[in-house]
Amino acid sequence: MRTSTPQIERFLDHLAAERGLSPHTLAAYRRDLARYGVFLAGLGMDDVAGAGEEDVAAFVAHLSASRTAEGKPYGTSSVARAVAAVRSLHRFLVLEGEAGGDPSAGVVRPRVHRTLPRPLSVDEVARILASPTGGTPIALRDAAMLETLYGAGLRISELVSLDVDEVDLEEASVRVMGKGSKERIVPLGKYAREALQRYLANGRPSLASKSSKAAVFLNHRGGRLTRQGCDRILRGHVRRAGLRKRVSPHTLRHSFATHLLEGGADVRVVQELLGHASVATTQIYTLITEQHLREVYFSSHPRARRARAVAP
């Protein structure tokens, strides 16, 4: 059975060429729209533009009742993401003149419960960053990687795609290409700058090979470090730091933003540093700092401490 249609393929080409989406985001669109294409084909429909509101609603209901390859039910966020992809596809067809209307416009998108990210404390971050020790190429690389992730608040995709000419040690900054192919300059703090300087001078040359090209962060074979490789390295240092919690590269990004706001940074500045298109995305971190302030207040102020249960 066909998992795509010419309309879906044209839309994916549009996303890649016109909107400059990352390969990771494009892959998510492709998966979601492939499911939509299979569902419509099961209804005997080869033309996506011929779908009606009832067809889109039936797809949402079908997806909500389905299970993943691992046997788990689709989460609300996965269903909402698929609905967003279907809506974008139908809007594209309307703009291209291939459809007279958008059948997804009236379909209710599942409401996703917004969970607050769980940042690390400053002490926990310090313990992780202190884990790489010694002057071996691998230790120097790990130290530079961790300091850059936290010190610049980069996405993991931005970190592993960094090239040498995008690192300016004199200006203490890195030039990164974020979501939607939007470029931004992010400053580096003292520790990140010094860690990168040590790695580029004394670590990277020993790891480099013909396949390295301009990549900053290299694996032990000399190739560009992958997202999965970076995640494994971080998990190893989390264990060595004695932390019994799940910490991902994105956790360090969350911690970067939270610690900036707790230190008094303006939310608009944090938005620019993170590369968020909307300040609403950044404002979730203000909720974390407010929650933290409340916890400190209720646990510390003598007239605000929550009452402890009194034994009978």
Side-chain angles (χ1 to χ4, degrees):
M1 184 179 291
R2 292 175 63 184
T3 60
S4 188
T5 69
Q7 292 124 315
I8 290 175
E9 289 304 317
R10 282 199 303 278
F11 175 58
L12 292 170
D13 289 342
H14 162 76
L15 292 179
E18 301 297 327
R19 290 178 53 184
L21 299 186
S22 71
H24 180 71
T25 304
L26 278 173
Y29 268 97
R30 183 174 291 279
R31 285 193 302 272
D32 290 334
L33 293 177
R35 293 187 187 104
Y36 186 50
V38 168
F39 179 79
L40 292 180
L43 299 178
M45 193 177 303
D46 291 328
D47 183 7
V48 176
E53 182 175 319
E54 67 280 4
D55 301 314
V56 178
F59 171 68
V60 175
H62 163 76
L63 203 58
S64 299
S66 298
R67 291 185 173 270
T68 65
E70 293 78 26
K72 298 178 181 178
Y74 277 101
T76 306
S77 59
S78 297
V79 177
R81 187 195 63 212
V83 174
V86 169
R87 280 183 174 170
S88 295
L89 168 65
H90 282 292
R91 287 171 186 161
F92 169 77
L93 295 177
V94 171
L95 290 172
E96 292 291 300
E98 296 186 41
D102 176 8
S104 68
V107 176
V108 178
R109 180 178 175 179
R111 185 170 182 177
V112 180
H113 176 64
R114 197 171 197 183
T115 56
L116 294 179
R118 294 188 176 181
L120 300 170
S121 69
V122 174
D123 177 66
E124 287 172 331
V125 172
R127 286 162 60 186
I128 294 171
L129 299 186
S131 174
T133 57
T136 66
I138 294 296
L140 293 174
R141 177 204 64 192
D142 291 2
M145 184 194 86
L146 296 174
E147 288 285 0
T148 305
L149 270 176
Y150 173 68
L154 302 187
R155 300 179 178 95
I156 181 59
S157 58
E158 295 169 346
L159 180 97
V160 298
S161 63
L162 265 184
D163 286 339
V164 174
D165 64 353
E166 293 170 334
V167 177
D168 190 334
L169 293 176
E170 284 191 16
E171 293 294 327
S173 65
V174 291
R175 186 174 76 252
V176 297
M177 191 68 71
K179 288 186 175 180
S181 297
K182 292 181 180 177
E183 185 179 280
R184 71 184 191 281
I185 305 294
V186 185
L188 292 171
K190 176 178 180 288
Y191 290 99
R193 177 184 174 278
E194 290 179 351
L196 273 169
Q197 193 168 37
R198 285 192 295 270
Y199 165 63
L200 291 173
N202 305 313
R204 187 182 181 280
S206 298
L207 295 173
S209 68
K210 290 182 179 178
S211 63
S212 302
K213 297 183 180 178
V216 171
F217 293 104
L218 306 175
N219 58 35
H220 66 281
R221 294 185 300 273
R224 187 183 291 273
L225 194 65
T226 63
R227 296 160 59 107
Q228 294 80 5
C230 181
D231 188 56
R232 282 194 298 271
I233 292 166
L234 173 59
R235 281 189 276 121
H237 288 295
V238 170
R239 286 194 298 271
R240 279 193 279 279
L243 299 184
R244 296 178 178 275
K245 56 175 63 177
R246 173 79 173 96
V247 178
S248 69
H250 217 64
T251 308
L252 292 181
R253 180 170 158 88
H254 290 323
S255 304
F256 164 85
T258 303
H259 297 165
L260 277 173
L261 289 167
E262 287 179 343
D266 184 88
V267 68
R268 293 280 182 181
V269 173
V270 178
Q271 175 194 358
E272 291 297 320
L273 292 171
L274 292 173
H276 286 160
S278 168
V279 74
T281 309
T282 315
Q283 282 173 332
I284 189 170
Y285 295 107
T286 64
L287 300 178
I288 300 170
T289 58
E290 287 169 11
Q291 183 183 56
H292 176 67
L293 286 172
R294 286 179 61 82
E295 289 172 356
V296 171
Y297 172 72
F298 281 115
S299 64
S300 304
H301 196 283
R303 304 289 286 182
R305 290 172 183 154
R306 293 188 176 93
R308 293 190 177 92
V310 178

